Amino acid sequence: MKRNILLHPDPRLKKVCAPVADMTDELRSLADDMLATMYDAPGIGLAAPQIGVLERLIVMDCVKEEGEAPRPLIMFNPEVLAGSEELNTYEEGCLSIPDQYADVTRPAEVDVRWIDRDGNEQTETFSKLWATCVQHEIDHLDGKLFIDYLKPLKRQMITRKMTKLKRELARG
């Protein structure tokens, strides 16, 4: 089931999320809903707080090549164990901040540990777009948005645009 994506500024997007204690069918169903929502948007990543759920859960799929099989990942309690000294800069966007993009510099490679939908611990080294995406989504779980990496003036400009967009959407 597709869920509604919260738009910035929304106080829930700035909250630190609680760790997932037990794997439940409800959480697995939530993860499936998040993947459906992400693909429909369309996006390459989505964090639970973006749909108003303040738990440490992200989904992502950075496969973009035509004809290549999708690789949906569901991550409960993801954490970056290590990041490379080498940095990458990507133009990032966010489903909670539509049509706004900015360059963000992050570690080019990260080692990440998480719990999969079956309750098994996983670790993987991500690079390129996957590394950027997983770091962006984990930031959401800590109440941090990609615009928080920007200079204050640019961040304020984007926030004003989003406030105006939310007003327009509320009017219908």
Side-chain angles (χ1 to χ4, degrees):
M1 174 182 81
K2 195 171 143 314
R3 305 278 188 115
N4 288 328
I5 297 173
L6 301 179
L7 295 179
H8 167 72
D10 185 299
R12 291 169 287 184
L13 294 172
K14 300 304 281 177
K15 297 247 188 291
V16 175
C17 295
V20 172
D22 291 315
M23 290 303 299
T24 62
D25 287 341
E26 191 178 301
L27 282 170
R28 287 183 190 90
S29 180
L30 172 65
D32 293 339
D33 288 355
M34 287 174 58
L35 279 171
T37 302
M38 177 193 78
Y39 285 128
D40 183 71
I44 60 169
L46 186 68
Q50 291 181 272
I51 58 166
V53 177
L54 299 179
E55 296 199 60
R56 298 189 78 78
L57 165 60
I58 66 172
V59 298
M60 54 187 253
D61 184 349
C62 297
V63 173
K64 296 175 102 173
E65 280 68 52
E66 195 67 41
E68 197 175 328
R71 185 180 177 226
L73 286 177
I74 294 171
M75 300 179 165
F76 294 94
N77 299 333
E79 59 179 319
V80 174
L81 301 174
S84 64
E85 287 186 26
E86 181 191 342
L87 301 175
N88 254 350
T89 301
Y90 271 98
E91 184 180 64
E92 292 189 25
C94 181
L95 296 176
S96 291
I97 310 174
D99 303 321
Q100 302 298 315
Y101 303 92
D103 286 346
V104 177
T105 302
R106 301 179 184 269
E109 268 192 13
V110 286
D111 297 330
V112 179
R113 176 174 55 208
W114 73 95
I115 306 297
D116 68 17
R117 69 177 294 130
D118 299 320
N120 300 313
E121 185 176 292
Q122 304 287 334
T123 57
E124 187 172 332
T125 300
F126 294 98
S127 61
K128 301 185 175 134
L129 181 60
W130 287 89
T132 296
C133 184
V134 75
Q135 291 173 84
H136 174 114
E137 299 309 330
I138 290 172
D139 274 354
H140 274 297
L141 303 180
D142 295 324
K144 190 169 189 175
L145 302 172
F146 85 92
I147 59 171
D148 295 330
Y149 290 93
L150 308 179
K151 290 190 165 69
L153 201 61
K154 175 106 171 129
R155 187 170 57 242
Q156 290 163 357
M157 186 183 77
I158 289 173
T159 298
R160 278 197 300 273
K161 283 182 184 173
M162 292 306 305
T163 302
K164 184 178 174 203
L165 172 67
K166 284 177 78 170
R167 271 197 310 266
E168 289 167 4
L169 290 172
R171 280 192 216 115

